[in-house]
Amino acid sequence: MSQANGKKQIVSPTVTHSRRIPPGQVTTQKFPVYDIGPRAIFNKGKWRFVISEKVR
Amino acid sequence: MLTWDDFMNLPRIEVVADFHCVTRWSKQNMLWEGVRTKTIYDLVEPDSYAKYLMIHCMEGYTTNVPIEDFLKEDCLFACNLNGKPLEPEHGFPLRHVIPQLYAWKSAKYVYGVEFMLEDEPGYWELRGYHIHGDPWKEERFWDDEMKVWEIRKKK
């Protein structure tokens, strides 16, 4: 872990993994997009982060 | 429950990580910025028996994650990518990023987490994607189709 711009910076084990590219994967420079439906509309005033528990 | 301003005032981190999609592409050295998932966990101190989470997203998408993965040091709720706010197509305003699992677990448009005592499949897991999703074990799909159908029937 290091400090960058006053924030802690963490280097993920995905970067330092001895086999950095997992089996069956190829690297790309693009960042492809997959969505399951219409994109959500963000309303800053109404947005809430909800934390709940499911107890049986 | 946290407002957007509450969330933005939580301590931030940066994470440099690779990103592996189950459709077989990998993107290296992505710089995410946001709030560590551990920060959220510490805020709520959930039931100690809760071993799994469901991540909930604004457009109805869900995905399940074991707590031990959720609490890894490189796991965060990201609002920035490579120094800029997330683009809408990449999950603005908030994306759950869990680099050590396939990218369908890094859910876009996140609005909440649900702590669970037992594991349950989310959106893609109900449609045949693996319940866990470790790229180095190639956990892409369920091995047992019958198990998927049993779970879907219960839903």
Side-chain angles (χ1 to χ4, degrees):
Chain A
M1 188 185 292
S2 63
Q3 294 274 340
N5 305 320
K7 299 182 193 91
K8 284 181 183 172
Q9 188 173 94
I10 292 162
V11 176
S12 166
T14 57
V15 173
T16 56
H17 199 286
S18 60
R19 187 177 182 183
R20 187 166 177 184
I21 305 299
Q25 298 292 115
V26 292
T27 56
T28 179
Q29 296 300 312
K30 296 177 182 174
F31 191 7
V33 174
Y34 302 96
D35 281 320
I36 61 165
R39 285 179 197 144
I41 296 169
F42 173 58
N43 181 324
K44 184 181 169 183
K46 291 184 178 174
W47 187 91
R48 296 289 183 275
F49 191 85
V50 181
I51 302 161
S52 59
E53 287 187 82
K54 181 178 277 186
V55 180
R56 288 179 181 157
Chain B
M1 198 177 284
L2 300 168
T3 66
W4 181 251
D5 289 337
D6 292 336
F7 207 94
M8 289 298 102
N9 284 325
L10 293 171
R12 301 266 196 107
I13 58 161
E14 290 183 336
V15 174
V16 181
D18 295 349
F19 203 65
H20 305 296
C21 181
V22 70
T23 60
R24 298 185 183 274
W25 57 263
S26 293
K27 189 166 172 59
Q28 297 181 315
N29 297 317
M30 302 180 81
L31 176 63
W32 301 97
E33 182 188 330
V35 176
R36 259 195 86 185
T37 49
K38 175 79 161 53
T39 301
I40 300 298
Y41 183 89
D42 290 342
L43 275 178
V44 295
E45 295 180 356
D47 187 318
S48 61
Y49 292 105
K51 300 296 180 203
Y52 302 92
L53 293 104
M54 191 68 79
I55 309 294
H56 291 275
C57 305
M58 290 193 282
E59 87 290 28
Y61 182 77
T62 55
T63 191
N64 59 307
V65 176
I67 279 193
E68 64 179 274
D69 289 310
F70 182 78
L71 295 179
K72 284 183 176 168
E73 192 179 45
D74 59 346
C75 189
L76 75 159
F77 290 105
C79 52
N80 289 353
L81 173 60
N82 297 328
K84 296 176 184 169
L86 284 173
E87 299 284 345
E89 63 267 31
H90 293 305
F92 174 84
L94 198 67
R95 182 169 192 159
H96 175 232
V97 177
I98 183 162
Q100 295 183 59
L101 297 179
Y102 280 122
W104 87 80
K105 298 287 187 181
S106 290
K108 300 188 272 191
Y109 323 118
V110 172
Y111 79 85
V113 295
E114 180 183 12
F115 291 91
M116 307 186 297
L117 302 184
E118 294 176 20
D119 204 5
E120 288 184 24
Y123 180 88
W124 280 122
E125 294 82 11
L126 273 172
R127 289 160 176 79
Y129 280 29
H130 198 277
I131 196 76
H132 185 227
D134 183 333
W136 283 272
K137 295 177 181 170
E138 286 207 76
E139 292 175 340
R140 298 177 193 273
F141 309 105
W142 290 85
D143 292 331
D144 184 351
E145 273 188 36
M146 288 309 293
K147 196 169 179 181
V148 179
W149 283 105
E150 281 169 25
I151 292 167
R152 289 180 75 169
K153 272 195 290 185
K154 283 183 195 169
K155 292 263 164 185

